Amino acid sequence: MTTHIANCDNLQFTACELSVKEVRDWFESFTHGGPCHLVDELAAPGISLHDLATMYRCEVGAFDALTSREIDRLVEAARAINPHFFRVRDMVASVVEQMMTKAAAGLDSTPDSDEVA
């Protein structure tokens, strides 16, 4: 397993390369949903803090003292060591975006019972 050390101003984190099983497990947890915190989801472009914590093998709370600049540094290192994860995540995000666009346009709605008869 490859690792990459990312230095923040006062802390150091080690990004770990995810195995295929870990990416599969992430995908399974993603498809089943669950509680999420908006800040954790949107703090970094292209990745949630939960996903980032998975790559750094730490709790999300370990990032609480970091600035957005430091989070960006962690994301950059995580992206370099886990390109396969980001490819899957980008594909999932693209599909979700397409579904939301269709739903907003009324193209993905189910017909009323009157329309079916």
Side-chain angles (χ1 to χ4, degrees), residues 54-70:
T54 299
M55 291 181 201
Y56 282 94
R57 310 250 196 284
C58 66
E59 297 295 320
V60 172
F63 305 137
D64 285 353
L66 301 181
T67 65
S68 60
R69 176 183 46 79
E70 293 171 302

Side-chain angles (χ1 to χ4, degrees), residues 8-80:
C8 294
D9 292 347
N10 297 311
L11 297 169
Q12 186 178 71
F13 293 89
T14 303
C16 299
E17 183 178 24
L18 298 178
S19 68
V20 171
K21 182 183 181 331
E22 288 170 315
V23 174
R24 187 180 305 121
D25 290 347
W26 164 81
F27 185 76
E28 286 295 318
S29 72
F30 179 82
T31 58
H32 290 105
C36 74
H37 190 280
L38 192 57
V39 172
D40 291 350
E41 290 298 317
L42 302 175
I47 189 168
S48 72
L49 292 184
H50 180 272
D51 295 344
L52 198 61
T54 299
M55 291 181 201
Y56 282 94
R57 310 250 196 284
C58 66
E59 297 295 320
V60 172
F63 305 137
D64 285 353
L66 301 181
T67 65
S68 60
R69 176 183 46 79
E70 293 171 302
I71 293 290
D72 288 347
R73 191 174 301 147
L74 295 181
V75 172
E76 183 180 320
R79 189 175 287 277

Side-chain angles (χ1 to χ4, degrees), residues 84-112:
H84 58 290
F85 171 83
F86 284 90
R87 276 193 306 272
V88 171
R89 193 176 202 292
D90 290 346
M91 283 187 267
V92 169
S94 176
V95 169
V96 169
E97 185 177 333
Q98 290 172 17
M99 289 170 56
M100 291 176 64
T101 300
K102 285 181 181 179
L107 300 175
D108 198 31
S109 61
T110 55
D112 293 333

